[in-house]
Amino acid sequence: MRTTNRLIESSEYVHFRSSVPLRNICVDNSKGESWKVYDAGPKIIRSPVIFLPPTCGTADIYFRQLVYLSSIGYRAIAVESPCSYWTVNEWCLGFKLLLDHLRLEKVHLFGASLGGFLAQKFVEFTYQCPRVISLFLCNTFIDTEIFDLTETSSLFWLLPTVFLKRLIMPSLITKSFDPDIIAAVDFVSERVKSLTQADFASRLTINCSASRVHIENMRGVRAITIMDVFDEYALSSPIREEIYELYPYAKLAQLKNGGNFPYLSKFEEVNIHINIHLRKFETETCSPRLIQTEAVHD
Amino acid sequence: MSTKKKVLLKVIILGDSGVGKTSLMNQYVNKKFSGGYKATIGADFLTKDVMVDDRIVTMQIWDTAGQERFQSLGVAFYRGADCCVLVFDVSLPSTFKSLDSWRDEFLVQASPRDPENFPFVVLGNKIDLENRTIQSKRAQQWCQNKNNIPYFETSAKEAINVEQAFQTIAKNALAQESDQDIYNEFPDQIKLPGDNKLNNSDAGCSC
């Protein structure tokens, strides 16, 4: 399969990379590292939907959402955090600075795996002054204990890339015969090569240091959708049940299959679910979408 | 809890606007009926865990806007459907006449592997109304001609037959889903002529 039909060489991806620029934004000067940001759709929108990648993912893992959503008037942004954040708190502070820099007061968050966990922690972090309107959580978790690495995580910073990569390998192996799932894994495996030892180490440290979502601090969020696939993926069934229980009123956007990266493999269905999730804000000022009857000032 | 794989059933409700698609879904999932009419925009869905043949399955029921033929969401919307529910209003003949085109629309868009045997269920809704114009016989006739589609007469308002109808929908959807699984999980299974012999001989080497 590593011959012709590779997603990374597809016209959709090439078109995305040639039409949406990758911006490097440094928000905390002391550290010198910057956020990677793809910002698609009308800039007049101040309440976009922001996509947060999983541990092994780069921001462009969401290119199919950015292409689709921006084509129907949404402002959609995919970000990737710098390797200088080693705790949930540092990450949240950095992300808040990024929102300030982009002059985005309130946002909708889509997070997969670690991205989903951080999205929830960011809601907690901004409890006093809510910045998150809605959450779309995909294949994610609410407690880092599930990885059973909380004790070793303090040593990740000194471990070589080879070892760290081994920790994320389960996500990059699929037993599926589904060509879309195979193509998605191939794409992620290719893009993961751009990550450095520090990227892996910092992300895995956040991913595995003891931390848990506290529901009592999440009241500001107005809508939650939980996306889950019914085929094999890296997280087991009890973890999914746990997140369903935490958010009994969430909308459940379940897919028959999709593997670890449904937003790549089954993007059309995922896009329908994102559209349904965001559509309820359409008549409000916090909508991430510019309705076509208005003039477009991009 | 069953140790079997978790199952998701995708059910799509089609029919003209105002026949009660949203109401039927709400009555079944939330046990609620609201008299006011609000047109559905695009599509939306609800999920419900149900017991079918002693196993718990998750039913994802898609409600659609009757006004538009669903081109805006395209093929992806119909993909993986396990059952299609066609709804008409027993007091409005035009909604009954539309059943043919809704069925065709579904078969074209979803292009199921075996269109002849794809599970449809027809619901004649609003039997609580007095000015009924489509008699049971006529609807049953139509269903028989289409390879014996199960037919239910329902009232979303009075909660008549809704539970029973959806139980049949779930059952037929599950049968369809299990069929598909066989295709998906073993796409290249090849049976070798010697296979049987090998499995049956429990005493080691045959060489």
Side-chain angles (χ1 to χ4, degrees), chain A residues 14-35:
Chain A
V14 171
H15 172 74
F16 168 76
R17 289 305 301 266
S18 57
S19 58
V20 182
L22 169 62
R23 291 170 65 194
N24 286 294
I25 300 174
C26 186
V27 291
D28 30 14
N29 292 326
S30 57
K31 289 174 179 158
E33 299 289 340
S34 51
W35 285 79

Side-chain angles (χ1 to χ4, degrees), chain B residues 7-204:
Chain B
V7 175
L8 180 69
L9 301 177
K10 185 170 173 181
V11 173
I12 293 176
I13 309 181
L14 298 176
D16 283 0
S17 63
V19 296
K21 299 181 292 298
T22 308
S23 298
L24 282 162
M25 180 175 81
N26 264 323
Q27 179 58 259
Y28 177 60
V29 178
N30 300 322
K31 307 265 177 278
K32 276 184 197 152
F33 177 81
S34 101
Y37 174 67
K38 202 174 138 218
T40 306
I41 301 164
D44 203 350
F45 68 95
L46 289 177
T47 42
K48 185 179 168 99
D49 286 345
V50 288
M51 192 72 139
V52 190
D53 301 339
D54 293 328
R55 66 192 287 196
I56 295 170
V57 297
T58 304
M59 215 184 341
Q60 188 179 73
I61 307 166
W62 285 82
D63 175 29
T64 57
Q67 285 88 348
E68 43 190 304
R69 295 287 145 97
F70 229 79
Q71 260 115 16
S72 54
L73 282 182
V75 183
F77 170 74
Y78 293 90
R79 192 173 294 149
D82 299 302
C83 183
C84 176
V85 183
L86 302 171
V87 186
F88 72 96
D89 175 346
V90 294
S91 69
L92 270 177
S94 62
T95 64
F96 177 69
K97 289 192 193 102
S98 300
L99 290 186
D100 269 305
S101 59
W102 283 115
R103 183 177 170 273
D104 293 346
E105 170 87 3
F106 178 83
L107 290 174
V108 168
Q109 297 281 349
S111 46
R113 216 180 287 267
D114 183 5
E116 277 304 303
N117 294 310
F118 185 87
F120 284 91
V121 171
V122 172
L123 307 183
N125 192 35
K126 305 198 187 180
I127 54 162
D128 53 282
L129 294 181
E130 279 166 13
N131 55 340
R132 161 169 199 158
T133 50
I134 302 294
Q135 298 310 317
S136 311
K137 240 191 182 155
R138 197 167 153 205
Q140 275 162 356
Q141 192 67 46
W142 187 87
C143 289
Q144 265 170 20
N145 291 340
K146 299 282 188 263
N147 208 0
N148 285 320
I149 299 179
Y151 173 61
F152 289 88
E153 303 211 315
T154 58
S155 163
K157 189 179 174 187
E158 315 270 345
I160 299 168
N161 252 343
V162 176
E163 192 69 39
Q164 292 87 329
F166 274 94
Q167 194 63 38
T168 302
I169 292 163
K171 213 176 152 88
N172 294 358
L174 183 62
Q176 154 76 13
E177 214 272 348
S178 317
D179 278 359
Q180 273 185 350
D181 256 16
I182 297 167
Y183 289 105
N184 291 339
E185 290 190 0
F186 310 102
D188 313 306
Q189 198 186 36
I190 298 164
K191 266 245 175 325
L192 295 177
D195 263 11
N196 277 345
K197 228 188 276 171
L198 251 168
N199 291 337
N200 293 339
S201 63
D202 36 7

Side-chain angles (χ1 to χ4, degrees), chain A:
Chain A
M1 55 140 285
R2 285 179 180 274
T3 49
T4 46
N5 287 331
R6 300 190 68 196
L7 200 49
I8 201 150
E9 289 155 7
S10 66
S11 56
E12 295 103 311
Y13 182 67
V14 171
H15 172 74
F16 168 76
R17 289 305 301 266
S18 57
S19 58
V20 182
L22 169 62
R23 291 170 65 194
N24 286 294
I25 300 174
C26 186
V27 291
D28 30 14
N29 292 326
S30 57
K31 289 174 179 158
E33 299 289 340
S34 51
W35 285 79
K36 293 190 175 76
V37 177
Y38 295 96
D39 188 349
K43 306 293 175 280
I44 192 175
I45 294 293
R46 291 277 163 228
S47 47
V49 51
I50 301 186
F51 290 82
L52 306 171
T55 321
C56 57
T58 47
D60 54 357
I61 201 170
Y62 295 119
F63 79 94
R64 300 195 119 153
Q65 281 66 50
L66 266 59
V67 167
Y68 167 75
L69 291 171
S70 61
S71 78
I72 55 169
Y74 282 98
R75 182 174 183 190
I77 302 174
V79 304
E80 192 180 320
S81 55
C83 58
S84 46
Y85 304 141
W86 294 81
T87 65
V88 168
N89 220 48
E90 284 176 358
W91 187 93
C92 287
L93 192 61
F95 186 60
K96 190 162 166 273
L97 290 172
L98 178 71
L99 297 188
D100 292 343
H101 177 91
L102 294 169
R103 289 187 291 138
L104 307 173
E105 198 199 328
K106 299 215 171 194
V107 294
H108 304 263
L109 294 180
F110 179 111
S113 172
L114 175 63
F117 179 71
L118 288 170
Q120 297 169 85
K121 293 305 281 183
F122 186 70
V123 175
E124 272 183 45
F125 184 81
T126 54
Y127 173 61
Q128 302 285 355
C129 177
R131 301 289 290 265
V132 182
I133 309 158
S134 75
L135 282 178
F136 195 115
L137 305 171
C138 176
N139 288 1
T140 194
F141 51 91
I142 58 167
D143 194 333
T144 55
E145 261 204 329
I146 57 162
F147 298 104
D148 216 10
L149 285 165
T150 45
E151 279 168 28
T152 33
S153 64
S154 57
L155 299 172
F156 286 165
W157 64 276
L158 49 75
L159 294 174
T161 315
V162 182
F163 179 87
L164 296 170
K165 266 194 171 169
R166 204 179 292 163
L167 291 174
I168 61 151
M169 272 321 274
S171 306
L172 302 179
I173 293 168
T174 179
K175 284 182 243 157
S176 175
F177 292 113
D178 185 319
D180 298 332
I181 293 176
I182 295 168
V185 169
D186 176 63
F187 179 88
V188 179
S189 307
E190 188 61 41
R191 292 295 295 134
V192 89
K193 291 175 188 163
S194 72
L195 299 179
T196 62
Q197 190 275 346
D199 285 321
F200 284 121
S202 59
R203 289 175 183 204
L204 282 164
T205 303
I206 297 176
N207 198 65
C208 300
S209 307
S211 180
R212 186 185 168 84
V213 172
H214 299 283
I215 188 77
E216 59 276 15
N217 294 338
M218 299 193 63
R219 276 184 294 248
V221 180
R222 291 181 40 207
I224 298 176
T225 297
I226 299 171
M227 172 159 276
D228 189 6
V229 295
F230 273 40
D231 58 345
E232 290 292 316
Y233 81 106
L235 301 178
S236 68
S237 213
I239 295 159
R240 308 175 195 192
E241 303 295 331
E242 206 179 35
I243 195 165
Y244 290 168
E245 277 168 27
L246 191 69
Y247 304 112
Y249 299 107
K251 199 166 177 78
L252 302 181
Q254 292 145 321
L255 301 178
K256 288 190 173 188
N257 56 13
N260 281 318
F261 316 106
Y263 32 88
L264 277 170
S265 61
K266 303 292 168 191
F267 65 98
E268 287 169 308
E269 285 156 79
V270 173
N271 289 349
I272 289 174
H273 283 291
I274 297 174
N275 200 354
I276 290 173
H277 173 84
L278 295 174
R279 204 177 49 197
K280 48 182 150 314
F281 300 98
E282 216 146 77
T283 54
E284 303 181 33
T285 48
C286 63
S287 170
R289 186 178 193 181
L290 185 67
I291 302 296
Q292 274 156 3
T293 48
E294 294 173 36
V296 179
H297 308 281
D298 196 353

